[in-house]
Each structure stands twice: as structure tokens, then as C-alpha cells.
């Protein structure tokens, strides 16, 4: 299949996914089709068989396709990380340039000073060393720091709030298919039995168990549905409760809970690159295809041919 050809079917597949509501049932639809309408699950047991796959070949094909797109996803992760690091370096360099440009203007209104007179510094004797009539306020006033990033720009700098936000009692980040929440807990919360997490497709409640009862850390209704089968949570002792949510639909969220301040999804990184499959993966696919056709024709497969070459004539 040519690069990008799979995107031609996005609308049809998206309609199926929205109808069934979660990825697991979506996969059941796909594999059910292969079971009912193709020879995907039929095994080639004899050289005379003309339909089906050799034992293990179908599983290998599925795993290979999964690895192909998993490789793409990891490349996307690396690209996002590098873009974020480069952006932070550029902003740090711009802030340093602003400070250098602002430095010489700090005492432009002051009278010329002697070679030993400190300029623009807090120190003993500075006040007596100033010439009469000099504007002391212009010398002593501390330079204003560069304006810190605000809003989504600030959230994008933090891996815990990348494509998400920092809220009063938790942080959240997201990619196209999943969300990750981090809910801080007290240092004494170190075991799972000290935590209560109630997770539904439309709501969440996170609490810690204390001597006088439960203390709710986070509670509310989701702005969109999640798949509970693909969602999990874990405790980082004394630090936070990590909740990984699998979106029921593939779209960007502007908030986790109803009633919260939404983020501007036009300012997040929504890029989904389609990287090409590397040569090693192509070689594996080619070998599987070759072995399949050799098996259909009753001819030696690649591992058998290799063994024959090693043994010699």
C-alpha cells in the first residue's frame, strides 16, 4: 500500500468506530470481518491447500502491522519532544538577548561616574558616590524580568500538561487517543489500599482514605466518554495517582471535567506525522509474503533455503 493510501478509508472507519463506541469493539468488527469473509483464519496444512495461511503467519502479519504503527507513534513522540526542547531553547535565547539589550539603558539618565563608582548595583557607599542631582531611582530600580509565558504556551513547556493544562488539584496531558492525569497525594499515601478511584465511562472520583473518612481529591463528569476497558490507574507512593484514560473517540479534548476552564486546542500540537516504514520492517514483510507463496507452491521457504545453502550441494 502506498504511503497515505490508508487515509482514504478514514471516514468509513471513523463511522464504524463512532458507532461501536470503543477501540476493542472496533477491532472485533475488523477481525470478525476477516473471520467471516476471508481465509485469514484458515490454515494451510497440506501442499495441495490453496486458501489460508501457514500456521503462525496470520499472527505474524498482525504483529508486524502493529509494530509498524507503534514505530510511527514513537517517532511522533520523539518529534514532539525535540520540538518542545527547541522551542524552549529559542525562548531562553530570546530572553537573554532582551536582558542584554536592556542592560545599557538602566542608567542613561545618570551623570557620568568615576572609574571606581559602582553602577546599577546595591552596595555600601553607593548613595554617597552618586553625583548631586542624579536620579537615584533610575540606578537602584531592579530590572524587570522577562514576561513569563502564559496560558497554553506555559502548559506546553511542562510534560505533565503537554496539550493539556495544570488545574488546582491535578494536571492533565493528552495525545489523539489517550489522556493522562496526575493527581498529587500526601507523602504518607504509599499503598493502594489508601486510595479510592471510581472510574466510569462518563465520570471519575479520586479520593484518599484517612482516619476520619475519605478526602476527595478530584471528582466530576468527563466532557467526553472514555473506554473503561482501556483505562488504568496506578499509585506513585507519596507522589501522585496516575490515571491513564483511553478516549472512546479519537478527537482532542479542551477540558477533562465539565465546568472547568477550557484550553484553546488551536494552540496545542495536533500534528500526526505519517513516517515511512523503515527498511528492516519492509524486509520482514517481504519475507513473510515470499514464504507464504512458496508454501502455496510446495516450495522451500526462506529458512529452508538458507539451511540448504549452509549445508551446500
Amino acid at each position: 500500500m502506498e504511503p497515505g493510501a490508508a487515509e482514504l478509508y478514514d471516514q468509513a472507519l471513523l463511522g464504524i468506530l463512532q458507532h461501536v463506541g470503543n477501540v476493542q469493539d472496533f477491532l472485533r468488527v475488523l477481525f470478525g470481518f476477516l473471520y467471516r469473509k476471508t481465509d485469514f483464519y484458515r490454515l494451510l496444512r497440506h501442499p495441495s491447500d490453496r486458501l489460508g495461511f501457514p500456521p503462525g503467519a496470520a499472527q505474524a502479519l498482525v504483529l508486524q502491522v502493529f509494530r509498524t504503527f507503534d514505530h510511527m507513534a514513537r517517532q511522533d513522540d520523539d518529534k514532539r519532544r525535540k520540538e518542545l526542547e527547541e522551542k524552549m531553547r529559542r525562548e531562553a535565547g530570546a530572553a537573554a538577548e532582551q536582558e542584554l539589550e536592556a542592560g545599557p539603558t538602566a542608567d542613561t539618565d545618570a551623570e557620568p561616574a568615576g572609574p571606581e563608582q559602582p553602577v546599577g548595583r546595591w552596595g555600601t557607599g553607593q548613595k554617597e558616590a552618586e553625583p548631586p542631582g542624579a536620579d537615584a531611582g533610575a540606578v537602584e530600580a531592579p530590572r524587570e524580568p522577562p514576561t513569563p509565558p502564559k496560558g497554553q504556551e506555559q502548559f506546553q513547556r511542562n510534560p505533565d500538561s503537554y496539550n493539556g493544562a495544570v488545574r488546582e488539584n491535578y494536571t492533565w496531558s493528552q495525545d489523539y487517543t489517550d489522556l493522562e492525569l496526575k493527581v498529587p497525594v500526601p507523602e504518607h499515601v504509599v499503598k493502594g489500599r489508601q486510595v479510592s478511584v471510581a472510574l466510569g465511562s462518563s465520570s471519575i472520583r479520586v479520593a484518599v482514605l484517612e482516619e476520619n473518612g475519605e478526602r476527595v481529591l478530584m471528582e466530576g463528569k468527563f466532557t467526553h466518554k472514555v473506554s473503561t476497558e482501556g483505562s488504568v490507574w496506578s499509585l506513585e507512593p507519596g507522589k501522585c495517582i496516575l490515571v491513564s484514560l483511553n478516549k472512546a473517540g479519537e478527537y482532542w479534548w479542551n477540558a477533562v471535567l465539565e465546568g472547568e476552564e477550557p484550553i484553546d486546542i488551536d494552540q496545542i500540537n495536533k500534528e500526526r506525522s505519517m513516517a515511512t516504514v523503515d527498511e528492516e520492517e519492509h524486509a520482514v514483510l517481504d519475507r513473510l509474503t515470499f514464504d507464504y507463496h512458496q508454501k502455496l507452491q510446495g516450495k522451500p521457504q526462506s529458512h529452508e533455503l538458507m539451511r540448504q545453502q549452509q549445508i551446500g550441494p
Side-chain angles (χ1 to χ4, degrees), residues 6 9 19 44 50 63 68 98 114 126 166 170 174 181 185 194 214 240 249 251 265 296 304-305:
Y9 309 103
H19 180 74
L44 291 175
R50 291 293 180 264
L63 183 58
T68 297
Q98 290 177 1
Q126 178 181 349
V166 177
Y170 73 97
Q174 66 173 323
L181 316 180
V185 298
Q194 296 175 275
E214 287 189 347
C240 69
Y251 34 75
I265 59 174
L296 287 179
E304 297 171 328
L305 291 172

Side-chain angles (χ1 to χ4, degrees), residues 4-202:
E7 298 178 10
L8 297 174
Y9 309 103
D10 280 357
Q11 290 301 320
L13 295 173
L14 183 60
I16 297 173
L17 179 61
Q18 291 175 338
H19 180 74
V20 300
N22 60 74
V23 174
Q24 184 174 9
D25 288 340
F26 177 75
L27 292 176
R28 289 180 181 275
V29 171
L30 295 182
F31 283 96
F33 171 79
L34 294 175
Y35 168 71
R36 295 187 307 274
K37 302 296 184 180
T38 74
D39 60 351
F40 185 75
Y41 286 99
R42 185 169 180 173
L43 297 179
L44 291 175
R45 298 187 182 276
H46 304 286
S48 60
D49 291 342
R50 291 293 180 264
L51 295 176
F53 287 84
Q59 295 96 318
L61 285 173
V62 172
L63 183 58
Q64 184 59 43
V65 173
F66 170 82
R67 287 174 175 169
T68 297
F69 287 95
D70 184 65
H71 178 70
M72 292 181 184
R74 301 293 74 77
Q75 287 185 324
D76 289 347
D77 291 341
D78 292 340
K79 183 176 181 180
R80 285 194 293 267
R81 177 180 56 79
K82 292 177 181 178
E83 288 176 347
L84 181 59
E85 292 174 351
E86 179 62 25
K87 183 178 180 181
M88 293 177 67
R89 282 195 295 267
R90 288 198 305 266
E91 292 175 348
E97 290 178 1
Q98 290 177 1
E99 290 182 359
L100 291 174
E101 292 174 359
T105 64
D107 60 339
T108 52
D109 296 334
E111 296 285 343
E116 300 298 328
Q117 179 181 0
V119 179
R121 296 180 180 270
W122 298 93
T124 304
Q126 178 181 349
K127 193 167 185 179
E128 290 76 11
E130 292 172 355
D135 187 356
V139 176
E140 296 182 357
R143 187 183 303 120
E144 293 185 1
T147 303
K150 297 180 180 180
Q152 196 59 42
E153 182 181 356
Q154 184 177 14
F155 297 151
Q156 294 297 96
R157 291 187 171 193
N158 183 355
D160 293 340
S161 59
Y162 190 76
N163 284 350
V166 177
R167 296 304 176 216
E168 181 179 358
N169 51 352
Y170 73 97
T171 61
W172 69 281
S173 60
Q174 66 173 323
D175 57 27
Y176 199 55
T177 58
D178 300 284
L179 300 104
E180 186 172 275
L181 316 180
K182 284 191 175 182
V183 186
V185 298
E187 292 184 357
H188 68 271
V189 178
V190 295
K191 296 183 179 180
R193 62 172 178 265
Q194 296 175 275
V195 174
S196 171
V197 178
L199 178 61
S201 61
S202 302

